[in-house]
Structure formats: structure tokens, C-alpha cells
Amino acid sequence: MLSSDHHQIVKPQSDAVDVFWHEGMLQHDAVEGVFDTGINPGFLDVLEKHPENADRVRNMVSILLRGPISPYVNWLPGRLAIVSELLTFHTSEYINKLTEADKSGERREISAGTFMSPGSWEAALLAAGTTLSAMQHILNSRGKIAYALVRPPGHHSQPTQADGYCFLNNAALSVKLALDSGRCSRVAVIDIDVHYGNGTAEGFYRSDKVLTVSLHMNHGSWGSSHPQKGSVDELGEGVGLGYNLNVPLPNGTGDKGYEYAMNELVVPAVRKFGADMVVLVVGQDSSAFDPNGRQCLTMNGYRRIGQIMRAMAEEHSNGRLLMVQEGGYHVTYAAYCLHAMLEGVLKISEPYLSDPVAYYPEDEAVAVEAVKSIKRYHSEYVPFLRGT
């Protein structure tokens, strides 16, 4: 396993991805129980690991280390974030709450399904700092394609609260860094995790400098920690009106439906917005075999999304693309889907890995109609997309 002190630097290819990683993120223990509840009902012989467990990320690391894509990967170390960096997005009251929970030395459920155990806070600081390092690497022109391989995830974490396995919003912190650096004026954040990136949306809901686009299953609100619904009418407020675009997709949308949504909704919106930095928020929980989602993407779908995102970055941000890891809970298939997505980003012409799981049939007709409906709504209610 790579650590921050012993990392392999591979001679870059014509295309390469700079992967930022620190093995300290593995120390976050999200407990065992019935799925993500941490509950032992007393009548089950086998309790399962929480979906957001270290094994999922171990496989992501190992497939990039030893899989066919490894010659295209440069490994770079992560680091701890410092409090002043966290305060660019999160409130001091919320950060104090997390630090006090860590000092207690006890396992605590910070929000539904989101557990802090000894070691969790350091892992969260590493996830945030590692993502900031990846963005700084791009801003300093040391590389154009960077991937923050981090856990615990972050896109549900709002400025004032934890949510959905997330403590600190890694991607949002990197966006703030890009804007505050003076080297970027408009950032597009594309979130393909199966759940609404509500924390990122909330943090930039009143900004016209950040376009947040989230493609997710139509799950709605799930309680006090996640009041946002992810519906098409959550468009932003004030000067930010129209700069939060939600694409709630029907369950089972699949590869062709996602590609249609990307080409019909995401690509035109980013083109109109005129981003000079592109951030892809990645979750493999949109896959056909994930326990937390129902969207039926396969490796081919992720590969195509990677290709589209690379083209988008080349058109708008001089090829600069930051990818930030979020969900993805099938311990094996999530790693394979990551590999496929990076093949797409790197313009590898033929797949290096075949899909290990049986073909999953799909019918994109329902998804296509949903995307057309969303496009009509955007055309009527989003000022900068009127008439598209």
C-alpha cells in the first residue's frame, strides 16, 4: 500500500493522471451493523461492514497500482488540511463540533448513517487536504489531470452539518481554493454520484461563479441532515439563480441515458457558463451493481463519461480537470468502473479491462423523455440557458 512517504513515480506517458493519495484515510472506521445503521438487531449471525468501508478504496488503489492502467498513473502524496482551509467553506461552529466529537474518543453518529470513530477525524482532514493538494497541483501548472482518491467522501457535507457519510466537503473546498487563488473565475462542478450533491449545491447556492450540476437518482429529501430534494426547481437563489442544475434521472437510466443527459444537458450548460476550471465529482454508486443505487451504469458508461469530461475540459479549461472520489460501494465493481472512467479520460482507444459482470439490459426511452423534460424546464426558467 502506498503511503505519503513511499510513493511510486511513473514516467509520464503522452497522457497521464496524477493521483493524490494517503493511506491514513483507511483508518476511518464506519462500523458494522445492518447496512449503514450501525445497529445489531440481535438475530443476525453476520453483520455487514458499513458501505463506506476501507475495502472499497483499497481496491481502487490496487487497481491503479497493478491494473493495466498503472503506466499512466503518477502517484503523489496527500496531506492534512488545516482549520483555516476548512473555514473557507464550513462554519467555525460546525468544525468545533467535529473536533470536540473527535476529542471524546468515542464512536458517535454525527448524522444518520454517518459515524465518527477514533481515527475518523484525521482521515477526514487527510481527505480534505489531499483534495486541496490535487487542486493546487493543477493551479500551479504541474499537471492538468488530477484525481483525489479520498475517503471519507464529502459532497453531502454542507457548510453547517455532516450528511450521507460525509464530514468535510472535499470538492467544495477545492473549488474555493481555485476561486480564491485568482487563477480561476468560474468553476463548473459535475457530480455523477448516484445521490444529489446537496452539500456542494448548498455551499454555492447563491453564487454565479460556480455552476453545480448533479446527475442523480430521484431520491428526494431523506431527513433533517438532507433537506434538499434534488429536484429540477432547486435552481439557486439571488445572483446564483440558474447556477444549480439538478438532473434527477429515472431508476435504471443506464449507459445510453447517462450519455444522452451529459450531451443534452451538461455539455451545453458548461459551454454557456464558460468555465475556466472543471471538477468531476465521481461516484461509482451509479453502477448497475451498487447496493446504494439503482442507475445501472456499466464500465462502458463510465468510460464514455470520462471521454465527455475530457473533451469538456479541453474546450473550456485548457485541459484542466480535477476528479474527486465520492461514493461507490460494490467493493470490486467500483474499482473496475473507476478504471474504465480513467481510460475514457486518458483517451485510451480500446478497453484494457473487460466487464467482469454479466450484461445488464437497458432501455433508455424513459430516461430520454426525462432529459427532454428537464431541458424544456431549464430553457424556460434558467436565464443563461433560455432558448437552448
Side-chain angles (χ1 to χ4, degrees):
M1 187 66 63
L2 266 68
S3 71
S4 60
D5 300 316
H6 299 89
H7 55 275
Q8 175 187 4
I9 301 295
V10 181
K11 183 179 179 180
Q13 309 294 308
S14 56
D15 261 332
V17 57
D18 298 322
V19 177
F20 286 75
W21 162 250
H22 194 294
E23 67 180 4
M25 289 180 281
L26 297 174
Q27 66 187 315
H28 169 48
D29 177 10
V31 311
E32 294 181 344
V34 176
F35 198 59
D36 64 1
T37 65
I39 294 172
N40 180 355
F43 47 74
L44 296 176
D45 282 345
V46 180
L47 296 177
E48 58 188 312
K49 291 181 178 179
H50 190 285
E52 207 296 281
N53 63 74
D55 290 347
R56 56 183 283 269
V57 173
R58 290 181 193 275
N59 268 356
M60 292 177 187
V61 172
S62 59
I63 204 169
L64 300 186
L65 270 175
R66 302 193 300 274
I69 208 171
S70 60
Y72 296 86
V73 176
N74 298 323
W75 291 93
L76 294 160
R79 66 168 176 87
L80 293 162
I82 59 175
V83 170
S84 61
E85 292 173 321
L86 306 182
L87 296 179
T88 63
F89 183 80
H90 295 288
T91 64
S92 58
E93 292 80 8
Y94 173 58
I95 297 304
N96 289 339
K97 175 184 175 181
L98 293 179
T99 56
E100 289 302 314
D102 174 60
K103 288 176 183 177
S104 75
E106 301 173 353
R107 189 188 86 182
R108 292 191 181 184
E109 189 171 17
I110 304 298
S111 70
T114 308
F115 294 91
M116 178 176 282
S117 303
S120 297
W121 181 232
E122 182 173 344
L125 291 173
L126 284 169
T130 297
T131 307
L132 288 168
S133 288
M135 176 60 88
Q136 191 67 61
H137 181 77
I138 295 175
L139 293 172
N140 290 344
S141 301
R142 294 177 179 169
K144 288 189 175 182
I145 304 173
Y147 168 46
L149 178 44
V150 294
R151 75 176 287 263
H155 73 146
H156 295 310
S157 177
Q158 297 153 70
T160 62
Q161 63 180 348
D163 178 39
Y165 316 161
C166 303
F167 302 101
L168 300 172
N169 197 313
N170 309 311
L173 288 166
S174 75
V175 171
K176 288 291 293 183
L177 174 63
L179 293 173
D180 293 345
S181 72
R183 300 175 193 177
C184 297
S185 59
R186 296 168 78 80
V187 180
V189 181
I190 315 303
D191 189 328
I192 63 167
D193 186 280
V194 81
H195 305 108
Y196 177 31
N198 63 310
T200 315
E202 183 68 24
F204 299 111
Y205 209 63
R206 296 156 190 84
S207 172
D208 60 355
K209 304 301 182 186
V210 182
L211 175 66
T212 51
V213 187
S214 179
L215 289 75
H216 48 266
M217 67 180 183
N218 197 4
H219 53 65
S221 172
W222 59 53
S224 60
S225 69
H226 191 109
Q228 303 86 0
K229 303 183 299 293
S231 53
V232 293
D233 58 348
E234 293 178 347
L235 291 171
E237 293 178 352
V239 297
L241 179 64
Y243 294 96
N244 185 72
L245 302 180
N246 290 330
V247 184
L249 293 168
N251 286 350
T253 286
D255 296 344
K256 293 177 182 177
Y258 263 77
E259 181 175 359
Y260 187 76
M262 292 290 292
N263 286 329
E264 290 294 313
L265 296 174
V266 181
V267 171
V270 174
R271 186 174 290 134
K272 280 271 193 176
F273 176 68
D276 52 19
M277 178 66 76
V278 176
V279 177
L280 174 61
V281 179
V282 185
Q284 295 82 18
D285 46 4
S286 300
S287 83
F289 305 100
D290 198 273
N292 249 357
R294 303 291 182 270
Q295 289 306 69
C296 299
L297 278 175
T298 71
M299 289 176 67
N300 283 335
Y302 280 98
R303 188 176 292 107
R304 185 69 186 114
I305 289 172
Q307 293 167 348
I308 293 170
M309 291 301 304
R310 176 67 183 276
M312 188 185 298
E314 290 183 339
E315 179 180 353
H316 299 288
S317 58
N318 194 30
R320 299 187 300 180
L321 174 64
L322 173 65
M323 296 166 282
V324 183
Q325 183 61 44
E326 296 289 349
Y329 307 106
H330 189 294
V331 171
T332 304
Y333 200 58
Y336 273 78
C337 290
L338 168 63
H339 194 284
M341 190 199 73
L342 291 180
E343 287 178 357
V345 168
L346 293 171
K347 300 182 180 179
I348 294 172
S349 57
E350 295 295 328
Y352 283 166
L353 284 176
S354 59
D355 199 316
V357 189
Y359 173 70
Y360 196 100
E362 63 176 86
D363 178 0
E364 73 271 24
V366 174
V368 166
E369 288 305 312
V371 169
K372 287 180 178 178
S373 176
I374 294 170
K375 189 173 183 179
R376 288 192 297 269
Y377 184 89
H378 286 170
S379 182
E380 182 174 356
Y381 292 104
V382 177
F384 80 95
L385 291 178
R386 281 184 183 142
T388 56

